Amino acid sequence: MEDNKDLRIRSKVISESANRVPNRSMLRAVGFEDEDFKKPMVGVASTWTEVTPCNIHIDRLAREAKSGASESGAAPLIFNTITVSDGIAMGHEGMSYSLPSREIIADSIEAVTGAERFDGFVAIGGCDKTTPGCMISIGRLNLPSVYIYGGTIQPGKLNGQDIDIVSSFEAVGQYQQGTINEEELHQVECNACPGAGACGGMYTANTMAAAVEALGMSIPGSSSTPAIYDYKEEECRQAGAMVIDLLKKEIYPRDIMTKKAFENAITVVMALGGSTNAFLHLLAIARSADVELTYDDFERVRKNVPHIADLKPSGKYVMQDLYMAGGVPAVMKMLLKEGLLHGDCLTVTGKTLAENLAEAPDLKEGQDIIKPLSQPIKPNGPLVVLKGNLAPEGAVAKMSGQKISRFEGPAKVYDSEAEATTAIEGDEIQEGDVLVIRNVGPKGGPGMPEMLSITAMIVGRGLGGKVALITDGRFSGGSHGFVIGHLAPEAAAGGPISLLQTGDKITIDSETQEINFDVTSEELDKRARTQEPFQPRHTTGALAKYAKLVSSSAKGAITDENLF
């Protein structure tokens, strides 16, 4: 490609013509000079905020990305979008805003990039919804773009042991059970999160960062570089420069985000034992890139991919440990050698995935985080789609760390997380029960709140694996136990879960991949006739708009499914 090619694929509408003098006057006020109008305009979408450690350092990273773009011949500008802290929103009404924030992030990046006529952009995320929000905007806009993850937090230390945010949630259950005292609980609170970076296990933030790297949309290795490491700044400089290279080579996100690339992302998520939220987010990102992706694709890939990572929440290690052992590229290199990845997929480096991985290190000798493919933790992926008369569209279970594959028991039904919390605190939930929390789906929650507080209380009380939990809501990547979420259709949309009653027998079988309840069709018809229609919890504002527009969780809980 010739060096003198005009890379102003959209910004030319501003940087030329006498009619655009007012537009350029505004840009001169923020630092543009004559020569800048001859350069491509590159946006840097920053999710910096002080509301969460996941993103507290991203202002610095955005400036590095801006420097990288400027040094490569661009006229870059930083702009911000929002972040909701899942860890702080968890367990109360604030969690209803978490999943909707994904759409707000995507919409806001699209709005600024579209209005300012950027020719390409870098997006930098941290906390759970920022990665998929950034990626949805990248898919929609289809401009030369690179995603960079702000990085994982270091583990906290207490009494010589590693702890993290999930330790805090589980400590609450231990305190309620009387196994730790108030001072011990306070010590967990004070030591779980030592500084900047997203939650350290293979929870949602790290899951989605790894998925995006496998998708080919981020710098190789960047998904596992810890937040506080100096090299994270170098990755951001590289990303800024890379956008210019993509412009020169005319490589667009939809050239990279193909069906095979999404299969690579699913493969890495399954191998690492990632968060169930990957279903929601990969479905939504695929939709934004006009790629058809369904639960069937997840299942098809899952059956061929072993679970090989001993990572929290069901395992022992955290993302920083994986980084020290060789990182996500070393894992992908191993998967590629076994023919489990599509090596011919294009990436933001301009090279194929196989070409990138040829330069990646092998896993370090003696490491115990990633098991050999011949001796996996589970022979196939632990994120399982279940279907049955309780979830005709599907439900999602995370079976990593589970010794049992089948659970049968009576339902204990609650119409909110708060009611279920009170029930657990009052010892209403006993071994053998199936705890049901409904009306917390995408429309019902609204916003499909995560149940980490609930699952942590169950584990903290010693009931992990001894009770099952099903919900039309979802789970944090930090949740573990016999838990099944994303039941669809949800209760608020009239799904079968809305007809459940306490005492109904529920059977969950991850081997046959079924989730059913034992109630006659005559009885269900009777219940349906007397059932009151669901009443939205919000009639104005962001949550009301979201509840009105949002699709089923089986389609990624997107808000542009049925606009016309």
Side-chain angles (χ1 to χ4, degrees), residues 7-9 11 36 38-42 73-76 119 244 247:
L7 303 180
R8 297 173 298 170
I9 59 175
S11 65
D36 293 311
K38 300 173 185 177
K39 303 172 181 177
M41 288 177 61
V42 170
D119 301 301
I244 307 306
L247 277 164

Side-chain angles (χ1 to χ4, degrees), residues 328-557:
V328 170
V331 178
M332 288 201 292
K333 190 172 185 178
M334 185 170 75
L335 294 170
L336 180 66
K337 287 179 180 177
E338 288 295 314
L340 296 174
L341 292 174
H342 302 292
D344 58 344
C345 288
L346 186 62
T347 73
V348 290
T349 66
K351 300 177 182 179
T352 65
L353 184 71
E355 289 171 329
N356 290 341
L357 294 178
E359 302 172 9
D362 293 321
L363 284 165
K364 288 188 177 177
E365 292 289 334
Q367 64 82 32
D368 190 41
I369 303 159
I370 303 298
K371 306 302 180 185
L373 288 163
S374 59
Q375 297 176 307
I377 296 168
K378 291 181 74 71
N380 42 42
L383 306 180
V384 181
V385 175
L386 309 177
K387 291 186 178 181
N389 67 0
L390 195 48
E393 292 181 4
V396 180
K398 184 173 182 177
M399 300 309 298
S400 55
Q402 293 305 306
K403 296 179 180 178
I404 57 173
S405 60
R406 179 183 170 89
F407 198 103
E408 187 176 294
K412 294 280 184 72
V413 182
Y414 302 92
D415 286 315
S416 71
E417 183 181 3
E419 289 180 16
T421 299
T422 300
I424 295 170
E425 291 174 341
D427 293 326
E428 291 180 24
I429 308 303
Q430 302 295 322
E431 183 174 341
D433 287 341
V434 180
L435 171 59
V436 179
I437 307 176
R438 66 185 176 193
N439 291 314
V440 290
K443 291 182 180 294
M448 209 177 177
E450 294 179 344
M451 301 290 137
L452 178 56
S453 292
I454 293 285
T455 58
M457 288 174 66
I458 289 171
V459 171
R461 286 171 168 262
L463 291 172
K466 299 177 182 177
V467 302
L469 168 57
I470 67 173
T471 179
D472 53 8
R474 61 196 175 93
F475 296 105
S476 162
S479 292
H480 58 110
F482 205 95
V483 297
I484 297 88
H486 305 208
L487 268 75
E490 62 176 296
I497 189 175
S498 68
L499 301 176
L500 264 178
Q501 292 183 2
T502 292
D504 290 345
K505 187 175 78 172
I506 295 175
T507 302
I508 306 157
D509 194 321
S510 66
E511 295 294 333
T512 62
Q513 296 181 237
E514 293 179 292
I515 180 167
N516 293 301
F517 66 132
D518 188 12
V519 179
T520 66
S521 57
E522 292 79 10
E523 173 62 18
L524 290 178
D525 288 341
K526 179 181 175 182
R527 292 180 189 181
R529 287 194 298 270
T530 59
Q531 181 173 266
E532 295 290 330
F534 178 79
Q535 297 299 316
R537 291 188 167 95
H538 298 267
T539 56
T540 61
L543 293 181
K545 287 185 282 189
Y546 180 84
K548 187 174 182 64
L549 292 172
V550 71
S551 73
S552 164
S553 57
K555 293 184 176 181

Side-chain angles (χ1 to χ4, degrees), residues 158-185:
L158 183 63
N159 301 324
Q161 300 293 316
D162 286 352
I163 63 170
D164 63 8
I165 187 62
V166 175
S167 307
S168 291
F169 280 98
E170 293 180 358
V172 173
Q174 293 164 356
Y175 173 70
Q176 292 172 343
Q177 192 71 5
T179 55
I180 63 172
N181 61 35
E182 187 172 353
E183 176 56 29
E184 290 170 316
L185 179 65

Side-chain angles (χ1 to χ4, degrees), residues 35-301:
E35 61 269 22
D36 293 311
F37 293 107
K38 300 173 185 177
K39 303 172 181 177
M41 288 177 61
V42 170
V44 178
S46 169
T47 57
W48 171 77
T49 178
E50 292 183 336
V51 304
T52 175
C54 310
N55 298 58
I56 188 67
H57 60 307
I58 287 177
D59 56 338
R60 185 180 76 252
L61 300 183
R63 289 192 291 272
E64 295 295 338
K66 180 179 179 179
S67 295
S70 180
E71 291 163 2
S72 295
L77 293 166
I78 297 172
F79 65 97
N80 276 82
T81 184
I82 68 159
T83 303
V84 166
S85 172
D86 280 19
I88 297 172
M90 198 78 67
H92 53 80
E93 291 183 7
M95 197 61 198
S96 284
Y97 288 91
S98 171
L99 188 57
S101 78
R102 183 189 72 180
E103 314 308 305
I104 296 170
I105 291 163
D107 291 350
S108 63
I109 294 174
E110 178 188 349
V112 174
T113 302
E116 302 297 324
R117 310 316 294 163
F118 291 140
D119 301 301
F121 65 101
V122 176
I124 310 173
C127 196
D128 293 8
K129 305 310 171 295
T130 55
T131 295
C134 289
M135 289 303 304
I136 290 168
S137 71
I138 286 172
R140 286 181 190 168
L141 289 159
N142 199 33
L143 293 170
S145 307
V146 179
Y147 175 76
I148 286 290
Y149 177 46
T152 184
I153 196 171
Q154 290 189 299
K157 293 285 186 181
L158 183 63
N159 301 324
Q161 300 293 316
D162 286 352
I163 63 170
D164 63 8
I165 187 62
V166 175
S167 307
S168 291
F169 280 98
E170 293 180 358
V172 173
Q174 293 164 356
Y175 173 70
Q176 292 172 343
Q177 192 71 5
T179 55
I180 63 172
N181 61 35
E182 187 172 353
E183 176 56 29
E184 290 170 316
L185 179 65
H186 185 65
Q187 285 302 309
V188 174
E189 175 184 328
C190 293
N191 289 280
C193 299
C199 298
M202 191 42 60
Y203 313 143
T204 303
N206 284 326
T207 296
M208 290 311 302
V212 171
E213 182 172 332
L215 197 58
M217 286 302 302
S218 62
I219 303 279
S222 60
S223 66
S224 39
T225 307
I228 65 165
Y229 282 30
D230 291 342
Y231 191 67
K232 182 57 67 178
E233 297 181 6
E234 173 60 26
E235 290 172 349
C236 290
R237 285 192 292 274
Q238 292 174 20
M242 199 169 280
V243 172
I244 307 306
D245 195 46
L246 292 169
L247 277 164
K248 290 177 179 177
K249 294 177 179 176
E250 299 182 20
I251 296 175
Y252 294 84
R254 294 189 185 187
D255 298 326
I256 297 170
M257 291 196 287
T258 62
K259 181 68 172 278
K260 290 201 300 184
F262 278 97
E263 291 175 355
N264 285 344
I266 295 168
T267 295
V268 169
V269 169
M270 292 294 177
L272 294 178
S275 166
T276 52
N277 282 312
F279 285 80
L280 283 175
H281 299 326
L282 287 174
L283 288 168
I285 296 166
R287 164 71 186 218
S288 77
D290 200 25
V291 172
E292 185 177 345
L293 195 70
T294 69
Y295 277 171
D296 290 341
D297 296 304
F298 283 83
E299 271 299 302
R300 176 171 49 81
V301 173

